[in-house]
Amino acid sequence: MPGNKYNGSSSTPRTRLERLLRERELRKSNRSIHSNEEARDSSRQVELFGNDTALVEGDNPGSPHEEEILEGGTATKAFLDGCERQEGHGRPYKQRLLVVANRLPVSAVRKGEDSWQLEISVGGLVSALLGVKEFDARWIGWAGVNVPDDVGQKALTKALAEKRCIPVFLDEDIVHQYYNGYCNNILWPLFHYLGLPQEDRLATTRSFQSQFDAYKKANQMFADVVNRHYEEGDVVWCHDYHLMFLPKCLKEHNSNMKVGWFLHTPFPSSEIHRTLPSRSELLRSVLAADLVGFHTYDYARHFVSACTRILGLEGTPEGVEDQGKLTRVAAFPIGIDSDRFVRALQLPQVKEHMKELKERFAGRKVMLGVDRLDMIKGIPQKILAFEKFLEENPNWRDKVVLLQIAVPTRTDVPEYQKLTSQVHEIVGRINGRFGTLTAVPIHHLDRSLDFHALCALYAVTDVALVTSLRDGMNLVSYEFVACQASKKGVLILSEFAGAAQSLGAGAILVNPWNITEVAASIGYALTLPADEREKRHQHNFMHVTTHTSQEWAATFVSELNDTIVEAQLRTRQVPPSLPMRDAIDHYLESNNRLLILGFNATLTEPIGALGRRGGQIKEMEPKLHPELKEPLKRLSDDPKTTVVVLSGSDRSVLDENFGEYNMWLAAENGMFLRLTAGDWMTTMPENLTMEWVESVKHVFEYFTERTPRSHFELRETSLVWNYKYADVEFGRLQARDMLQHLWTGPISNASVDVVQGSRSVEVRAVGVTKGAAIDRILGEIVHNKGMKAPIDYVLCIGHFLPKDEDVYTFFEPELPSESPPTPRATLSSSITSSMTKFSNNKGGSKSSRLNKQRSMSTLEKKATNQGSTNSWKPTWRDKMSLQEGSSVLDLKGDNYFSCSVGRKRSSARYLLGSSDDVVTLLKELAEGVSSVLDSSVSTLSGDQNT
């Protein structure tokens, strides 16, 4: 926009914060440009107010547990009317927004075989999108009615299309098990800390597994509808616990789809969530989204903690990271359309209601509660606290009245029927005890109020009482504040409601379970001085009027768009998947191949992030994948193929797993080497010192004792402390403390490297890396085999730590390029070095085993003697030519394949998803070798016969 400081190439936003600030400025500019249009929309809404009735969400038994947003009805009508007005007009392009929720904002009533009447259903999500001019929104959801015939479905789809709504058709059995069963009988109680239902309750809606299957099936049906209507560039916004499986379904169909997911209920702590049988599957499904949103930071923190503790993933300040893929997790507190409530107070009918209420309750303080009649709303606790207040303050008995609006929901469920009876009993007892013939202390209504009556009631209230036992947000508190411009009433708010995070500073926070505390807070609120009420109200009013529902929607979508930008920047650093067919073809066409294979998480069976398979902790020592035994045997027996297993594991581990194969084993990051037919030898540099080992060992022992299920390994060139089986968060804290202690003590002056893995800490001597060892390993292999033909194919696969990824880049300078490659300085001293051999027994001291002797080769002496008289210096290839008669390497760019297994942030050329992909690749390589050998044998036999 003109004058926007973010415009222009010179001020292109570079960081995420700069991009979000620019989006915010652009939204403000757009709103000022469209101010006239908004004014017309506002006047239209005022006209509509007089003909509409607002209900408390949830009074329809068909949707008992949608979060309450009381301003839904009129906003829905205005939104849908606005959609109709936008259709067919020449408007500037707007980003399409596909809002996917369990229910559409309209309910359908069938009037004939091919005719439908659409009625406004209650819901505040539409009001959140009302006034957000940046988006072209379309709604996808269930219409709340079973339509088994094609004629009816086509007619309903056509009718809904005029309102920009797209139906998802669910049959009665799916609705029964998916919605009434899994959503409302399993997820909703669990997310509100009510726990999982008992077996007798589960039996009413069949088994848990059938409900979960129906849940996944319903989510796939939603995904199918989204996929049919999706256009490139659309934003798909999934809502609530009904659709936790949807992000995964969408991403599996189109990985480039922009998907956000928002939860309108609380998200429980990980200790509660882990009781859910399908806990891991649901978490991973949600993590498929690009952005996951919650009402409060607490809920977001619980979600990240669940992913960390249950899935073993990495929790970061930005969200949850899984092998380089980041799912952003953030808090987006929803708001209300505060202007609508402020404008409503100026309407004649609302002023008339206010006058009637003031006359009716003249001389008495008015307290108000507006809730669904639900277990989580704390209505009995509220009324009991009011009773205790009247008991302790007799002088207030005829000076205060509590108006409780309790909208019935799920009236056919026994638990709700019992709650209704309980509330009625308490109200009757209190009114009988403290009431008179002309007045009672509690006015209880089992019904909803129309919008105007509700606004008037908010406006005349002195104290609003919200005592939710657990609530996602609770917007009754917001609506009360929006209507209190003149009264400056006091808000008593449960600390277990999400709104406490936003309005806590201006409200009186209480624990609804503490009846004495709530009763005392009622007395405090009723006697609060006017100046204190003013301060509290102004603080909350400022928040309510600035953090509106429209701003909430715009902020979420803006963050989602920016998350995609961030993901694209990260994706550029992610290697592409290995072109497996190319790798196999080039392998079969080559004559002297080198396979460098990692061991852990490469040739082993896949293990869950927490180190568990089948509910049991795997053996501490890794085991070779059973499906790889035959392929490795074929490959290692191939005379044209040299196989090297390069691992950080101890020598004994490699001996146990690979002793029967004809291959090279490189243990402890290449510091020890042997051909399986020979003895171990060391490749360690001469100046390697290990004096620091004992002091580091003491530190590792200390932290192992104090970290349950952790262990450490003492190797000959390093020490590794591993906490992958321990509590993840506690393990990370212990690792942090360990590092601080190591750097300030035992290794402060030692020549060591500290390598942090995802669940480990390793201390090793400086220079001990796989890349540094590979040149020495190659030299010994060439010398041992008397290799004459150059190596013309290299395949390097591993799940290596970042410190060891120099093995991937080791071969890169040897590939053809426009400028000659820089010779490796280390090769001249390493390739021709003699290596001290070790027997398999452990006899002798460690120091004697580590002592090495080195002699200069004839070639090195020649180079040294020539010195300054000849500027020629031998490169690796020169020396190999002189020593072995041919170059060691003769690589072409397309004959080198470096592959990272599971690590998306890698310097490798390519990526393999898991060790299962490694199994597939090595099997195909082995089969290719076998077919070539069989073909050669057949050809040879045919020649002999001829």
Side-chain angles (χ1 to χ4, degrees), residues 876-896:
W876 184 18
R877 295 188 186 188
D878 289 330
K879 290 193 293 183
M880 287 302 101
S881 299
L882 292 170
Q883 183 176 343
E884 306 294 348
S886 65
S887 298
V888 173
L889 287 174
D890 185 19
L891 275 182
K892 297 179 181 179
D894 51 3
N895 267 17
Y896 174 52

Short mmCIF file of all heavy atoms in Angstrom, two decimals, residues 876-896:
data_model
loop_
_atom_site.label_atom_id
_atom_site.label_comp_id
_atom_site.label_asym_id
_atom_site.label_seq_id
_atom_site.Cartn_x
_atom_site.Cartn_y
_atom_site.Cartn_z
N TRP A 876 46.96 -37.48 -3.66
CA TRP A 876 46.53 -38.84 -3.31
C TRP A 876 46.53 -39.73 -4.55
O TRP A 876 47.03 -40.83 -4.55
CB TRP A 876 45.14 -38.75 -2.69
CG TRP A 876 44.62 -40.06 -2.20
CD1 TRP A 876 45.31 -41.20 -1.93
CD2 TRP A 876 43.25 -40.36 -1.91
NE1 TRP A 876 44.49 -42.18 -1.48
CE2 TRP A 876 43.22 -41.70 -1.46
CE3 TRP A 876 42.06 -39.64 -2.00
CZ2 TRP A 876 42.02 -42.32 -1.11
CZ3 TRP A 876 40.89 -40.25 -1.63
CH2 TRP A 876 40.88 -41.58 -1.19
N ARG A 877 45.97 -39.21 -5.63
CA ARG A 877 45.89 -40.04 -6.83
C ARG A 877 47.28 -40.34 -7.36
O ARG A 877 47.55 -41.43 -7.85
CB ARG A 877 45.06 -39.34 -7.90
CG ARG A 877 43.60 -39.17 -7.50
CD ARG A 877 42.79 -38.66 -8.66
NE ARG A 877 41.44 -38.36 -8.27
CZ ARG A 877 40.48 -38.05 -9.12
NH1 ARG A 877 40.74 -38.00 -10.40
NH2 ARG A 877 39.26 -37.78 -8.70
N ASP A 878 48.21 -39.33 -7.26
CA ASP A 878 49.57 -39.56 -7.72
C ASP A 878 50.21 -40.70 -6.94
O ASP A 878 50.83 -41.60 -7.49
CB ASP A 878 50.41 -38.30 -7.56
CG ASP A 878 49.99 -37.24 -8.55
OD1 ASP A 878 49.52 -37.61 -9.65
OD2 ASP A 878 50.13 -36.05 -8.21
N LYS A 879 50.05 -40.65 -5.63
CA LYS A 879 50.69 -41.66 -4.79
C LYS A 879 50.10 -43.03 -5.03
O LYS A 879 50.79 -44.03 -5.02
CB LYS A 879 50.57 -41.25 -3.32
CG LYS A 879 51.41 -40.05 -2.99
CD LYS A 879 51.55 -39.85 -1.50
CE LYS A 879 50.22 -39.47 -0.90
NZ LYS A 879 50.33 -39.21 0.53
N MET A 880 48.78 -43.07 -5.21
CA MET A 880 48.18 -44.36 -5.47
C MET A 880 48.64 -44.91 -6.82
O MET A 880 48.82 -46.10 -6.97
CB MET A 880 46.65 -44.24 -5.44
CG MET A 880 46.07 -44.04 -4.04
SD MET A 880 46.50 -45.38 -2.90
CE MET A 880 47.83 -44.62 -1.99
N SER A 881 48.83 -44.02 -7.77
CA SER A 881 49.32 -44.47 -9.08
C SER A 881 50.71 -45.05 -8.95
O SER A 881 51.03 -46.09 -9.51
CB SER A 881 49.33 -43.31 -10.08
OG SER A 881 48.03 -42.82 -10.26
N LEU A 882 51.56 -44.35 -8.18
CA LEU A 882 52.92 -44.82 -8.02
C LEU A 882 52.99 -46.06 -7.15
O LEU A 882 53.78 -46.96 -7.38
CB LEU A 882 53.78 -43.70 -7.41
CG LEU A 882 54.01 -42.49 -8.33
CD1 LEU A 882 54.67 -41.37 -7.53
CD2 LEU A 882 54.87 -42.88 -9.52
N GLN A 883 52.12 -46.08 -6.11
CA GLN A 883 52.20 -47.17 -5.16
C GLN A 883 51.44 -48.40 -5.65
O GLN A 883 51.90 -49.52 -5.52
CB GLN A 883 51.63 -46.71 -3.81
CG GLN A 883 51.75 -47.79 -2.73
CD GLN A 883 51.28 -47.26 -1.39
OE1 GLN A 883 51.17 -46.06 -1.21
NE2 GLN A 883 51.01 -48.16 -0.47
N GLU A 884 50.23 -48.18 -6.20
CA GLU A 884 49.40 -49.31 -6.58
C GLU A 884 49.30 -49.48 -8.10
O GLU A 884 48.77 -50.47 -8.57
CB GLU A 884 47.99 -49.11 -6.01
CG GLU A 884 47.96 -48.88 -4.50
CD GLU A 884 48.43 -50.10 -3.70
OE1 GLU A 884 48.54 -51.18 -4.31
OE2 GLU A 884 48.69 -49.96 -2.51
N GLY A 885 49.73 -48.51 -8.87
CA GLY A 885 49.70 -48.64 -10.32
C GLY A 885 48.48 -48.03 -10.96
O GLY A 885 48.36 -48.06 -12.17
N SER A 886 47.55 -47.49 -10.17
CA SER A 886 46.36 -46.84 -10.74
C SER A 886 45.76 -45.91 -9.69
O SER A 886 46.11 -45.97 -8.52
CB SER A 886 45.32 -47.90 -11.16
OG SER A 886 44.83 -48.58 -10.02
N SER A 887 44.89 -45.07 -10.13
CA SER A 887 44.23 -44.15 -9.20
C SER A 887 43.30 -44.91 -8.29
O SER A 887 42.70 -45.92 -8.66
CB SER A 887 43.44 -43.09 -9.98
OG SER A 887 44.32 -42.33 -10.77
N VAL A 888 43.14 -44.41 -7.08
CA VAL A 888 42.20 -45.00 -6.13
C VAL A 888 40.77 -44.70 -6.57
O VAL A 888 39.90 -45.56 -6.54
CB VAL A 888 42.46 -44.48 -4.71
CG1 VAL A 888 41.38 -44.97 -3.76
CG2 VAL A 888 43.82 -44.92 -4.24
N LEU A 889 40.54 -43.47 -6.96
CA LEU A 889 39.19 -43.04 -7.30
C LEU A 889 39.12 -42.59 -8.75
O LEU A 889 40.01 -41.90 -9.24
CB LEU A 889 38.74 -41.88 -6.41
CG LEU A 889 38.40 -42.20 -4.95
CD1 LEU A 889 38.12 -40.93 -4.21
CD2 LEU A 889 37.21 -43.13 -4.88
N ASP A 890 38.08 -42.98 -9.39
CA ASP A 890 37.77 -42.48 -10.72
C ASP A 890 36.25 -42.25 -10.77
O ASP A 890 35.52 -42.92 -11.49
CB ASP A 890 38.21 -43.47 -11.79
CG ASP A 890 38.00 -42.90 -13.20
OD1 ASP A 890 37.88 -41.66 -13.31
OD2 ASP A 890 37.94 -43.68 -14.16
N LEU A 891 35.81 -41.29 -9.93
CA LEU A 891 34.38 -41.08 -9.73
C LEU A 891 33.82 -40.06 -10.71
O LEU A 891 34.46 -39.03 -10.99
CB LEU A 891 34.09 -40.57 -8.32
CG LEU A 891 33.95 -41.61 -7.20
CD1 LEU A 891 33.63 -40.90 -5.90
CD2 LEU A 891 32.87 -42.61 -7.54
N LYS A 892 32.65 -40.34 -11.21
CA LYS A 892 31.86 -39.34 -11.91
C LYS A 892 30.76 -38.87 -10.96
O LYS A 892 30.38 -39.58 -10.03
CB LYS A 892 31.24 -39.95 -13.17
CG LYS A 892 32.26 -40.41 -14.20
CD LYS A 892 31.57 -41.04 -15.40
CE LYS A 892 32.61 -41.51 -16.42
NZ LYS A 892 31.95 -42.16 -17.59
N GLY A 893 30.26 -37.70 -11.21
CA GLY A 893 29.27 -37.12 -10.30
C GLY A 893 28.06 -38.00 -10.08
O GLY A 893 27.53 -38.08 -8.98
N ASP A 894 27.62 -38.68 -11.14
CA ASP A 894 26.41 -39.49 -11.00
C ASP A 894 26.73 -40.89 -10.50
O ASP A 894 25.86 -41.75 -10.48
CB ASP A 894 25.65 -39.57 -12.33
CG ASP A 894 26.54 -40.00 -13.49
OD1 ASP A 894 27.72 -40.30 -13.23
OD2 ASP A 894 26.05 -40.05 -14.63
N ASN A 895 27.97 -41.14 -10.11
CA ASN A 895 28.33 -42.44 -9.54
C ASN A 895 28.63 -42.34 -8.05
O ASN A 895 29.16 -43.28 -7.45
CB ASN A 895 29.54 -43.03 -10.25
CG ASN A 895 29.13 -43.95 -11.38
OD1 ASN A 895 27.98 -43.91 -11.82
ND2 ASN A 895 30.05 -44.79 -11.84
N TYR A 896 28.31 -41.20 -7.46
CA TYR A 896 28.49 -41.03 -6.02
C TYR A 896 27.14 -40.73 -5.39
O TYR A 896 26.46 -39.77 -5.74
CB TYR A 896 29.48 -39.89 -5.72
CG TYR A 896 29.58 -39.60 -4.24
CD1 TYR A 896 29.83 -40.63 -3.32
CD2 TYR A 896 29.42 -38.31 -3.75
CE1 TYR A 896 29.91 -40.37 -1.97
CE2 TYR A 896 29.50 -38.04 -2.40
CZ TYR A 896 29.74 -39.07 -1.51
OH TYR A 896 29.81 -38.83 -0.16
#
